[in-house]
Amino acid sequence: MTQLDANDAAPSRIAYQGEPGANSHIACREVYPDFEPVPYPTFEDALVAVKQGDVRYAMIPIENSVAGRVADIHHLLPGADLYIVGEHFLRVRHQLMALPTANLETITRVMSHTQALGQCRNTLRNYGLKPVPEADTAGSARMVSESGDETLAAIASSLAAEIYGLKILKSDVEDEDHNTTRFVILASEPDDADPDDGSIVTTFLFRVRNVPAALYKALGGFATNGVNMTKLESYQTEGTFNATMFFADIDGHPAERPVQLALEELSFFSSEVRLLGSYVASPYRREAAERAAGMMPTHNKNS
């Protein structure tokens, strides 16, 4: 993914959730190598930093190929008043690390984020290691570094091992070769791609009217106009079980006539439609489609 054009008046800083060495930190460095990555303790803090102008962008994970969606983001996006200006797919590589004096024989416990531990369960089982859930992968590496305990290890990135002075005992311990996280890049102002920029993804939120078959009717326009919907997720809002918002991705740009017609039909059957952005699709999408078609087979490394 190429670096996005930006407002020169905004600071060359990009926010991410977590501690230095987190996978979000790596994503920031891959897309914006000339920007200063700024860590924030929560997703909400990172989004507020963009809105207040403290940073130009936020690099936010929304889904993982193994663990599924990052639920917090779907609840925060409607109220964030931010726009998606790009996407990035990061191949997640987990490293088993410990103090420089430790080895695979001395460690008994492994700290990391719950999702990371779940993505490495085969390695933990094979080495008889006890998982210890923590809030953050990079934070776990920092805690191991500060502990002085040779029985304690962490699962985190190679960047975290470098930052916190840890030794990698075993590389790439994730169970699945396809372990990939999708990030969206958020800005305070829209910066939509042009329809001629290549393959375009448009992301939007909508809430259907409370009438029978409203969702079926709302989505019918995408089928009849030949618009491919690549993502559709629902989630509850307002503390009820009947106020449902939907988060969707489609192939195409709102300036294209088929997409225009599909969105018009969606609006007719919805009480709210909010476009979050139209941006160039990551090349990873094509690569993933080729793998799914059997052109580039993937496998479980431990099978």
Side-chain angles (χ1 to χ4, degrees):
M1 176 177 179
T2 59
Q3 181 166 320
L4 302 167
D5 294 333
N7 182 352
D8 290 338
S12 296
R13 308 168 78 213
I14 181 167
Y16 67 92
Q17 185 277 327
E19 297 193 28
N23 285 303
S24 295
H25 185 187
I26 296 173
C28 291
R29 300 205 323 179
E30 287 189 356
V31 182
Y32 295 103
D34 297 329
F35 274 46
E36 177 190 355
V38 183
Y40 288 86
T42 68
F43 289 123
E44 188 171 13
D45 291 334
L47 300 182
V48 169
V50 178
K51 191 62 182 175
Q52 292 181 342
D54 297 331
V55 298
R56 189 176 298 177
Y57 300 125
M59 180 72 69
I60 302 296
I62 60 170
E63 59 188 323
N64 176 268
S65 63
V66 176
R69 74 181 186 183
V70 181
D72 287 353
I73 299 307
H74 294 71
H75 292 282
L76 292 173
L77 279 178
D81 195 24
L82 299 178
Y83 300 89
I84 300 175
V85 297
E87 68 174 356
H88 182 62
F89 290 81
L90 177 70
R91 169 70 168 87
V92 177
R93 301 183 184 277
H94 291 308
Q95 319 301 329
L96 179 64
M97 60 192 69
L99 295 173
T101 55
N103 55 53
L104 288 172
E105 285 68 42
T106 64
I107 61 171
T108 59
R109 297 171 295 147
V110 179
M111 305 168 64
S112 196
H113 188 278
T114 301
Q115 287 192 351
L117 293 172
Q119 294 164 15
C120 305
R121 59 171 55 92
N122 287 341
T123 295
L124 298 179
R125 183 175 61 250
N126 291 341
Y127 285 96
L129 300 172
K130 178 182 178 181
V132 181
E134 292 292 342
D136 183 60
T137 55
S140 297
R142 174 182 54 77
M143 287 187 281
V144 170
S145 178
E146 295 171 350
S147 71
D149 187 349
E150 292 184 350
T151 69
L152 194 60
I155 288 176
S157 69
S158 56
L159 177 59
E162 177 185 339
I163 290 173
Y164 301 111
L166 298 178
K167 179 174 66 176
I168 295 177
L169 304 181
K170 187 172 177 59
S171 299
D172 299 342
V173 295
E174 64 278 2
D175 296 335
E176 300 291 343
D177 285 337
H178 64 74
N179 190 4
T180 302
T181 295
R182 179 191 176 203
F183 292 81
V184 291
I185 301 160
L186 296 168
S188 59
E189 299 292 337
D191 186 18
D192 289 343
D194 292 328
D196 297 329
D197 284 347
S199 298
I200 303 297
V201 177
T202 295
T203 299
F204 55 92
L205 299 168
F206 68 97
R207 187 199 309 262
V208 296
R209 299 184 185 278
N210 190 20
V211 296
L215 180 59
Y216 173 80
K217 296 174 182 177
L219 299 181
F222 295 96
T224 57
N225 288 285
V227 177
N228 185 33
M229 180 170 284
T230 57
K231 182 181 183 66
L232 178 65
E233 291 191 351
S234 65
Y235 57 101
Q236 302 299 319
T237 61
E238 301 171 2
T240 71
F241 288 93
N242 56 10
T244 303
M245 291 287 291
F246 293 88
F247 179 94
D249 290 337
I250 59 172
D251 291 337
H253 194 287
E256 298 167 349
R257 185 60 176 164
V259 176
Q260 286 180 358
L261 294 173
L263 290 174
E264 287 175 5
E265 192 160 342
L266 173 69
S267 298
F268 184 78
F269 292 103
S270 300
S271 58
E272 178 183 358
V273 177
R274 187 184 311 177
L275 295 180
L276 296 181
S278 298
Y279 44 93
V280 177
S282 167
Y284 179 85
R285 289 179 176 271
R286 184 188 70 254
E287 297 167 7
E290 291 173 351
R291 282 198 300 272
M295 297 173 63
M296 298 171 60
T298 186
H299 62 282
N300 184 309
K301 297 191 305 182
N302 296 283
S303 61

